[in-house]
Amino acid sequence: MVGAYGNSWIRTRRLDRLACESFLFDQAFASSPNVAELYRGYWFGSVSPGAAEAGSSLPQLVGAAGMRTALVTDDALVASLATAGHFAECVLIESPTQGRSAIEMAETNMAQLFAAATRWLKTAGQPFCLWIHAQGMSGDWDAPLEFRDRFAEEEDPEPPRFVTPPDRVLSNDYDPDELLGIVHAYAGQIALLDLCLGEFCDAIDGSGLAASTQLTLLSARGFPLGEHKRVGPCDEPLYNELVQVPWLMRFPDGLGKLCRSQALVLPRDLPGTLLDWLEIDRRLLGAGCATSLLDVVRGDCESLRDRALLISRHDRAIRTPGWYLRRPDSGPAELYSKPSDRWEVNEVAKLLPEVTAGLQVALTELEQAGEATLPPLPDLLVSVMD
């Protein structure tokens, strides 16, 4: 739904302006839709459950380097994570559910979150590390109704008035007009996020902090809108609409500005990248094997890996530059050609048994390897199909 990533019907001017000032990763993935597991990567640079015991976290390391640290969130789950206590301050924005759309933008949960973050910035001093986690589309869709109404054409039905995010599997005979209304409501929330982020960036720019502050924007996961009969995360099948996410990084010296990469990027790449930029030893993170994307941003290398592992409650999946294999706990494996089949609509496992079998073996090896480095995959499993 972001213009910088190909959307053409929602105007995300503030997001796109930030993208124009940033380095973009086109193939970034949430390694798990589980937020707690995701943050193991974000804060420890590791997929290992024992990472917290093995080494330090990102907030601990930047705090030890003299930075004032804070976590600002409207998500009680994130605030309750043990590592949230590694920040010097943890600000939880408790926005009571009103069961209705806001009348004014300032009343929305999203606006209150960014307002709290902006207030913190005004007293932060330098250097600082501010981590903002928004519930985003998992929280109430409480943008003023006019935000969703603006996307409905004259002949379209009126968008629905719900506030609680939808989360259900569509029936085979679902009403397309109902789904269209949900999409319009979602677009309204994107428009709200765009405005809130724009005001926050304006605050950074207006304060003079932009000249010395690195800004990263990424998403914890996507929100399915009926692509595979799911609206919302539901049973978390690992399809593109759930796992592929935007990821952009704006550096104060313009590093990587207006450039983008096709490298396969995962949450565990983030803390090592930030520490490399800050010139703090990333080997102190978690299990001591944190990766960094800084060489990709600088143009010194094209990628870090030729495969990525994705895990949910009922699925396992492996992504390579040329293929995506999804293996549910029950049912046959599914194979999709990448990057051409962006939304996984053309399943080709039976047509390409050799690729399917090879990726299933590679998936098992990747799960068992943990943090270990594996030899490169054969060309058959990574090459983009013409």
Side-chain angles (χ1 to χ4, degrees):
M1 295 293 178
V2 179
Y5 283 91
N7 180 275
S8 60
W9 68 278
I10 301 177
R11 297 193 67 186
T12 52
R13 291 181 294 177
R14 291 109 184 141
L15 278 161
D16 295 341
R17 182 183 67 188
L18 181 60
C20 287
E21 301 167 351
S22 305
F23 186 94
L24 272 64
F25 293 96
D26 285 341
Q27 305 297 334
F29 299 91
S31 51
S32 169
N34 181 286
V35 172
E37 293 180 13
L38 202 63
Y39 266 90
R40 199 157 58 222
Y42 284 154
W43 287 343
F44 289 99
S46 173
V47 298
S48 169
E53 291 76 30
S56 300
S57 67
L58 175 67
Q60 285 177 321
L61 291 173
V62 296
M67 303 182 82
R68 181 182 173 187
T69 63
L71 166 66
V72 177
T73 181
D74 60 355
D75 192 330
L77 173 60
V78 172
S80 70
L81 296 175
T83 314
H86 293 183
F87 289 88
E89 301 169 67
C90 180
V91 181
L92 175 61
I93 309 302
E94 298 186 18
S95 302
T97 301
Q98 302 180 26
R100 61 170 179 81
S101 299
I103 304 301
E104 302 290 339
M105 173 182 150
E107 299 175 359
T108 63
N109 294 346
M110 188 88 69
Q112 291 180 40
L113 173 69
F114 277 99
T118 302
R119 289 193 298 271
W120 188 90
L121 274 180
K122 291 179 179 178
T123 64
Q126 294 191 64
F128 68 89
C129 173
L130 172 60
W131 189 289
I132 306 169
H133 176 98
Q135 290 185 78
M137 305 309 154
S138 297
D140 285 349
W141 292 11
D142 61 353
L145 292 176
E146 65 189 65
F147 279 58
R148 61 182 71 176
D149 289 344
R150 73 177 64 162
F151 295 102
E153 301 289 344
E154 187 174 334
E155 66 276 8
D156 292 336
E158 180 182 70
R161 271 34 191 162
F162 65 78
V163 172
T164 302
D167 187 22
R168 66 179 188 271
V169 178
L170 297 173
S171 63
N172 290 331
D173 60 347
Y174 74 89
D175 182 355
D177 282 345
E178 180 186 10
L179 181 59
L180 180 62
I182 293 173
V183 172
H184 290 157
Y186 183 90
Q189 289 301 119
I190 294 292
L192 172 66
L193 170 62
D194 188 57
L195 285 172
C196 292
L197 181 66
E199 291 186 357
F200 180 71
C201 289
D202 288 345
I204 293 177
D205 296 344
S207 67
L209 292 173
S212 57
T213 302
Q214 197 285 325
L215 176 62
T216 296
L217 173 69
L218 74 168
S219 176
R221 65 182 183 187
F223 193 94
L225 288 168
E227 293 87 352
H228 290 90
K229 296 290 182 67
R230 275 86 170 176
V231 177
C234 297
D235 50 345
E236 299 179 348
L238 296 175
Y239 290 114
N240 184 81
E241 59 269 17
L242 180 67
V243 298
Q244 190 166 3
V245 296
W247 183 331
L248 55 88
M249 305 186 79
R250 185 179 78 177
F251 294 88
D253 59 357
L255 176 66
K257 180 179 179 180
L258 287 175
C259 296
R260 52 205 311 157
S261 169
Q262 298 300 314
L264 301 179
V265 178
L266 297 170
R268 63 189 176 97
D269 299 328
L270 177 61
T273 305
L274 296 176
L275 291 178
D276 267 9
W277 181 71
L278 292 167
E279 298 182 346
I280 299 173
D281 189 354
R282 60 182 157 94
R283 292 174 297 179
L284 300 174
L285 271 172
C289 54
T291 47
S292 171
L293 298 167
L294 204 56
D295 283 345
V296 177
V297 176
R298 289 173 174 152
D300 295 335
C301 71
E302 291 187 1
S303 65
L304 300 183
R305 57 181 61 86
D306 61 3
R307 76 207 85 177
L309 174 66
L310 312 176
I311 298 176
S312 73
R313 290 176 294 166
H314 307 296
D315 283 14
R316 300 291 186 272
I318 183 171
R319 176 70 152 83
T320 75
W323 300 101
Y324 185 65
L325 182 126
R326 171 180 172 258
R327 187 171 67 192
D329 289 346
S330 59
E334 301 172 7
L335 179 67
Y336 303 93
S337 176
K338 292 294 179 178
S340 57
D341 189 0
R342 181 172 183 177
W343 302 111
E344 288 113 28
V345 296
N346 187 26
E347 202 282 307
V348 295
K350 291 183 178 180
L351 298 176
L352 298 162
E354 190 175 355
V355 175
T356 302
L359 285 173
Q360 295 214 61
V361 172
L363 174 56
T364 300
E365 291 176 344
L366 193 53
E367 281 194 273
Q368 295 174 347
E371 308 288 357
T373 301
L374 294 170
L377 288 171
D379 190 60
L380 175 70
L381 305 183
V382 297
S383 295
V384 176
M385 198 173 195
D386 292 333

